[in-house]
Amino acid sequence: MQLSPSLSQLIEALRCLPGIGPKSAQRIAFHLLERDRDGGTQLGKALTKAMSQIGHCETCRTFSEVSVCDICLSVKRQDSRTLCVVESPTDVLAIEQTGQYQGLYFVLMGHLSPLDGIGPREIGLDLLERRLSEGNLDEVILATNPTVEGETTAHFIAELCHKYHVSPTRIAHGMPVGGELDLVDGQTLMHAFSGRRSI
Amino acid sequence: MQLSPSLSQLIEALRCLPGIGPKSAQRIAFHLLERDRDGGTQLGKALTKAMSQIGHCETCRTFSEVSVCDICLSVKRQDSRTLCVVESPTDVLAIEQTGQYQGLYFVLMGHLSPLDGIGPREIGLDLLERRLSEGNLDEVILATNPTVEGETTAHFIAELCHKYHVSPTRIAHGMPVGGELDLVDGQTLMHAFSGRRSI
Ligand SMILES: [Zn+2]
Ligand SMILES: [Zn+2]
């Protein structure tokens, strides 16, 4: 039996969702057709709009539908001399949810990965260098992930900061608050020891 | 921090997918924007098309983009005098995948459920009655689910068949092939006993 062409296409297209295999895709397609056509129609519109209209902020590279994003335009932050560099827009969300940081951001949309052809230009370091050169920054907080690639990227950007006499800092790595020593991984424990302070 | 409106709308719209909560919706939206815009765009188109263009076959009620579906139009099946009644188009798929059934189908798109306002008309029994009255059928195989509602629906349709002198049969329920006696549920075991045959 052949499924109707639009249904086959829908099942195939659903496979772009992370973690959705052929069986789940079929289940989702039938669920929407049988029980939630309005939801499916809304999702279709939202996807089409988001994929075509969401670009990147000209200043910080995060996702934005307008040329400069809300945070970069924010009156409270515009004069901040602190820039936090992160790998992805979700990192900005996570930091904003703490409500503690009032500075600006720069979103790399990835990390250096020469083997994958991702060099300084691909992660917007030309734009970051321009911002460093303008003399409006005192500190750059390097909040890339504590992975090999994240560390390499942080060190590369730190060099760039030195060139323009801006202080680079790296976020602390160690025990997560509330974590248990014997449950944390060895790398984190090592970071926690090497980053120890007098009390 | 506010997300850009199209992004918020996309995250909200993704919640129509079964089993997707707010966190997963956010993760999927960012995944598509960062890594698979083509996939997201294709999915948007496929959803919009499927939700608007997939209707029901005029003859058997299964999902179809054309007025009469492939199976109902199939030259090999058109003269079949056996009709298999199932609750949902996915049941048709499951039966077709066995490759053993060569007859026609009728898809109820649900089951009788008076408390939810789902009566004979809502599951297309007026259309089924018309087919029974035309005198082209010898047997109606009742393959609704072995649930209380499925059984009730099967018995209701069996009565309708008797009225038009068409033989209703019910698919067998019992031990799944390869199943283990001590792992199967009591209801199934009871069915397996009451449906026993001489060997
Ligand atoms: Zn921005
Ligand atoms: Zn049909």
Side-chain angles (χ1 to χ4, degrees), chain B residues 33-72:
Chain B
L33 284 168
E34 287 175 26
R35 282 188 280 271
D36 195 9
R37 293 218 181 199
D38 285 351
T41 304
Q42 287 304 316
L43 178 55
K45 278 187 205 155
L47 276 166
T48 303
K49 193 173 164 211
M51 296 302 131
S52 65
Q53 299 194 356
I54 296 177
H56 296 275
C57 170
E58 287 172 6
T59 309
C60 75
R61 291 186 26 113
T62 199
F63 287 134
S64 178
E65 277 159 90
V66 284
S67 53
V68 180
C69 78
D70 283 356
I71 292 185
C72 290

Side-chain angles (χ1 to χ4, degrees), chain A residues 39-83:
Chain A
T41 304
Q42 287 304 316
L43 178 55
K45 278 189 204 155
L47 276 166
T48 304
K49 191 172 166 213
M51 296 301 132
S52 65
Q53 298 193 357
I54 297 177
H56 295 275
C57 170
E58 288 172 5
T59 308
C60 75
R61 290 185 27 112
T62 200
F63 288 133
S64 178
E65 277 160 90
V66 285
S67 52
V68 180
C69 77
D70 283 357
I71 293 185
C72 289
L73 281 177
S74 150
V75 180
K76 277 195 284 186
R77 301 186 190 228
Q78 260 176 342
D79 299 327
S80 170
R81 300 186 61 85
T82 308
L83 185 76

Side-chain angles (χ1 to χ4, degrees), chain A residues 120-162:
Chain A
R121 205 178 184 83
E122 282 69 33
I123 59 170
L125 297 193
D126 46 343
L127 178 59
L128 180 60
E129 186 161 0
R130 202 190 317 149
R131 289 187 70 176
L132 290 169
S133 72
E134 287 163 354
N136 298 322
L137 296 171
D138 293 331
E139 181 185 357
V140 167
I141 302 173
L142 298 161
T144 52
N145 292 328
T147 57
V148 174
E149 296 86 355
E151 294 293 348
T152 309
T153 307
H155 281 102
F156 191 94
I157 298 172
E159 289 304 312
L160 217 55
C161 292
H162 288 307

Side-chain angles (χ1 to χ4, degrees), chain B residues 119-173:
Chain B
R121 206 177 186 83
E122 283 69 33
I123 58 170
L125 296 193
D126 46 343
L127 179 57
L128 179 61
E129 187 161 1
R130 202 187 322 145
R131 288 187 70 175
L132 290 170
S133 72
E134 286 164 355
N136 299 322
L137 296 172
D138 293 330
E139 180 185 359
V140 166
I141 301 173
L142 297 161
T144 52
N145 292 328
T147 56
V148 174
E149 296 86 353
E151 294 294 348
T152 309
T153 307
H155 283 102
F156 192 96
I157 297 172
E159 290 305 311
L160 218 54
C161 293
H162 289 307
K163 187 170 155 194
Y164 294 97
H165 309 290
V166 176
S167 303
T169 57
R170 181 87 173 108
I171 53 166
H173 297 120

Side-chain angles (χ1 to χ4, degrees), chain A residues 1-7 9-10 13-14 16-18 20 23 26-34 36-56 62-65 70-71 88-90 92-93 96-97 109, chain B residues 1-7 9-10 13-14 16-18 20 23 26-34 36-56 62-65 70-71 88-90 92-93 96-97 109:
Chain A
M1 180 209 186
Q2 293 201 314
L3 289 170
S4 85
S6 296
L7 182 50
Q9 281 158 24
L10 175 57
L14 282 162
C16 77
L17 301 176
I20 301 297
K23 270 282 165 194
Q26 184 183 305
R27 194 173 51 88
I28 293 171
F30 280 102
H31 167 87
L32 293 175
L33 283 168
E34 286 176 27
D36 194 8
R37 293 219 182 199
D38 284 352
T41 304
Q42 287 304 316
L43 178 55
K45 278 189 204 155
L47 276 166
T48 304
K49 191 172 166 213
M51 296 301 132
S52 65
Q53 298 193 357
I54 297 177
H56 295 275
T62 200
F63 288 133
S64 178
E65 277 160 90
D70 283 357
I71 293 185
S88 124
T90 47
V92 175
L93 271 189
E96 286 299 295
Q97 272 157 17
M109 300 300 300
Chain B
M1 180 207 184
Q2 293 202 313
L3 289 171
S4 85
S6 296
L7 182 51
Q9 282 158 25
L10 174 57
L14 282 163
C16 76
L17 302 177
I20 300 297
K23 271 280 165 195
Q26 185 183 305
R27 194 173 52 85
I28 292 171
F30 280 102
H31 167 87
L32 293 176
L33 284 168
E34 287 175 26
D36 195 9
R37 293 218 181 199
D38 285 351
T41 304
Q42 287 304 316
L43 178 55
K45 278 187 205 155
L47 276 166
T48 303
K49 193 173 164 211
M51 296 302 131
S52 65
Q53 299 194 356
I54 296 177
H56 296 275
T62 199
F63 287 134
S64 178
E65 277 159 90
D70 283 356
I71 292 185
S88 125
T90 47
V92 176
L93 270 188
E96 287 299 295
Q97 272 156 17
M109 302 299 301

